[in-house]
Amino acid sequence: MNRILRVPMAVLGLAAGTLLATGPTFAQDEKGKAVYDKVCVACHSAGIAGAPKLGDAKAWAPRIKAGIDTLYESAIKGKAPAMPAKGGATDVSDADIKAAVDYMVAAAEGGAGEPAAAAPAAPAAQAAPAAPTKPRPAALSFNRLLKPASKRNPPPPEDGIHDPDNDGTHALQAPLQVFEALPRSNAGNRVDWVKSLDNNLIAPRWDRTDPAAAPVVMDLNIVREVKGSMPDVVYPHKQHTAWLDCSNCHPQIFIPQKGANQISMAAILLGQKCGVCHGKVAFPVSECRICHSKKKNVMPVKNAQAQ
Amino acid sequence: MRIRHPGALWRGAQAAALAAAVCIGGFGTSGEARAEYADVVINNYSDAAGMRPVIFPHWFHRIRFRCKVCHADLGFQFKAGGNEINMVKIIDGQFCGACHNGDIAWSVENCNLCHSGKPGTPTQVHESTIQKLAIQPQAGGQQ
């Protein structure tokens, strides 16, 4: 929460003070904007999957004609094929979703989208508790450090490292356009690359120019016993040799001999050993059980002795 | 990147967000870097040469090529910024130029597709473990 809210709030604060002579609807707009920035922006800024873009009067005009209630309903219940119910953020209240719709409609009607200026077009009937609609101070947000779900896989113009003022940025593909069709996972790109490859959903070339070249996959598991409660690590050559050459790992990262390498979690977290790739390009270190996958046979427990 | 220039980044982000606020009404960018996992920013020379830093998207390329093609055949070391790539090497068919040659992929005159980063963004692998670990202790204070 705090990560998303802070900057917009600072910006809004400033904008409110210096740019817009804001009316009483400001708090409501601010709420709508906050929801938009958190949830809807993922699709409605770049126009992912045909979503009408914020401030695009042409795209919004026919929709606005259908009436604000229709729009509320689309936003709350979703609209086929690609508008998810509440934009996927089911924990947001109906009132807040409506505020976001108002904000989007206002932006469309106001052309360049000075939200406060266009506010009269939005229904005043909105149940708007006067004071508390202001976003809570970031210090009180539920998650302080966790990145909110709505910030995953953003399109390039919104990802914070691409320059939105660069025309090329807008020509780049948005990850979600592609990932939607691939099996998802819990971290990293949130794509299960192993499954994507196994199921032929993607066909990455093994050779720069020859699409028919195929890797020689080596099916050899190396089990690394782990002290303590964590399950043992099974290192599979199969999934690795489907992507990589032996020379990518041997001998620079690993001596090709079982047990010849000192590997520890500390090293992995620092980007060495398995951490050369895992936590940078291959699935990240947070996915403990993908590596620690072999149940320990015997777990000598104190209780057992006590019996 | 916050490891290196937390203050500079923050100011940059704020300035960017503010610029956006002034010209398009405050929405669009929140200034928070949250790019796709494994996006690599390469900025050894770009800033100094007045070009935007280069952003290399791993996700996009791994759909089309296995790691082996770049990291074994073409000789890219596993180190962001560690390959001393420059434009002469590229137009001579090395590194990015092995493919971005108008034959396998669009050619080098599309400067802005590669040079697409916010000016001043340091070399980094986005969302790497180290980046995530390093950010956390600061997060309360700065972000």
Side-chain angles (χ1 to χ4, degrees), chain A residues 7 11 33 54 103 144-145 153 158-159 161-163 166-167 173 189 193 204-206 208 242-243 279-280 282, chain B residues 21 26-27 30 34-38 52 60 62 64 66 68 71 98 112 116-118 127-129 139-140:
Chain A
V7 172
V11 166
K33 178 184 176 341
L54 185 73
Y103 171 75
R144 213 167 63 78
L145 298 177
N153 311 113
E158 280 148 29
D159 69 5
I161 60 174
H162 284 87
D163 186 348
N166 168 35
D167 52 356
Q173 194 170 38
N189 298 114
W193 291 108
R205 291 185 186 182
W206 180 251
R208 185 173 52 106
W243 288 99
K280 286 183 179 152
Chain B
F27 36 76
S30 76
R34 49 188 136 74
E36 189 56 35
Y37 182 71
R52 292 183 174 89
F60 183 93
R62 73 179 293 184
R64 291 162 175 79
R66 320 256 175 155
K68 173 253 187 192
H71 290 291
N112 290 350
S116 62
K118 286 189 180 159
E127 287 276 283
S128 65
T129 315

Side-chain angles (χ1 to χ4, degrees), chain B residues 67-90:
Chain B
C67 328
K68 173 253 187 192
V69 173
C70 293
H71 290 291
D73 301 350
L74 297 178
F76 282 99
Q77 302 289 320
F78 285 137
K79 188 166 191 310
N83 293 280
E84 299 180 7
I85 306 170
N86 63 35
M87 289 315 292
V88 177
K89 293 181 186 170
I90 291 178

